[in-house]
Amino acid sequence: AFGRLLSLRADAQWSTDECEFQSQNTGITLMDGRGDSAFVEHRFRKDALQSLYTNLAVRFSDRISVYGDYERNLFDGERIKLGLGMVYRAKCWSIDLQFADEAGDRKYGFRVNLLGLGGAGNQF
């Protein structure tokens, strides 16, 4: 049962020419049986980025859940990304509303999904 509540994820890219890692990502996800989850990941790309990324999803009911993600650059303390969203689920369809702010570029998303048929709308 513990394995269904916790998952670990890691990947890396090694340069044989430079004999060092070019990128490394290590993350952990905690989940519960209700559908809530929390994810934290340390991201590293050589000469480009070292950041901490978090994602949280909370299911308020069978129909409504909210989610958000946040990423911060560990070198300069600047925010890289902030995202928020809400999903409303009906019996055979759902609506997903999203907002994201990445380096001052604000995006809004709206998507309608029909169970078994797919979805339509803009999503980023």
Side-chain angles (χ1 to χ4, degrees):
F2 186 69
R4 292 189 310 199
L5 302 177
L6 174 75
S7 73
L8 302 172
R9 180 172 96 179
D11 63 74
Q13 183 180 17
W14 177 264
S15 170
T16 55
D17 295 335
E18 298 178 28
C19 292
E20 64 184 354
F21 285 106
Q22 299 299 302
S23 69
Q24 300 172 346
N25 301 300
T26 308
I28 184 170
T29 303
L30 300 171
M31 301 160 280
D32 66 11
R34 193 177 78 146
D36 302 330
S37 66
F39 174 72
V40 177
E41 181 176 54
H42 177 265
R43 297 176 173 178
F44 167 79
R45 280 193 318 264
K46 183 183 175 220
D47 300 329
L49 173 75
Q50 184 170 347
S51 68
L52 191 63
Y53 173 80
T54 59
N55 180 299
L56 179 67
V58 177
R59 191 169 179 180
F60 287 107
S61 69
D62 289 340
R63 295 190 182 271
I64 297 174
S65 59
V66 296
Y67 57 90
D69 60 346
Y70 183 81
E71 186 172 9
R72 177 171 289 281
N73 186 327
L74 297 176
F75 288 134
D76 61 15
E78 295 290 319
R79 182 183 76 206
I80 296 172
K81 179 181 180 182
L82 170 66
L84 301 168
M86 183 191 90
V87 177
Y88 176 83
R89 291 177 190 84
K91 189 170 185 168
C92 59
W93 57 273
S94 67
I95 294 176
D96 189 352
L97 304 172
Q98 304 171 335
F99 166 78
D101 185 354
E102 294 183 59
D105 182 20
R106 292 190 175 128
K107 301 175 187 176
Y108 300 89
F110 174 81
R111 185 165 179 87
V112 176
N113 294 297
L114 303 174
L115 185 64
L117 297 176
N122 69 331
Q123 191 169 9
F124 43 86

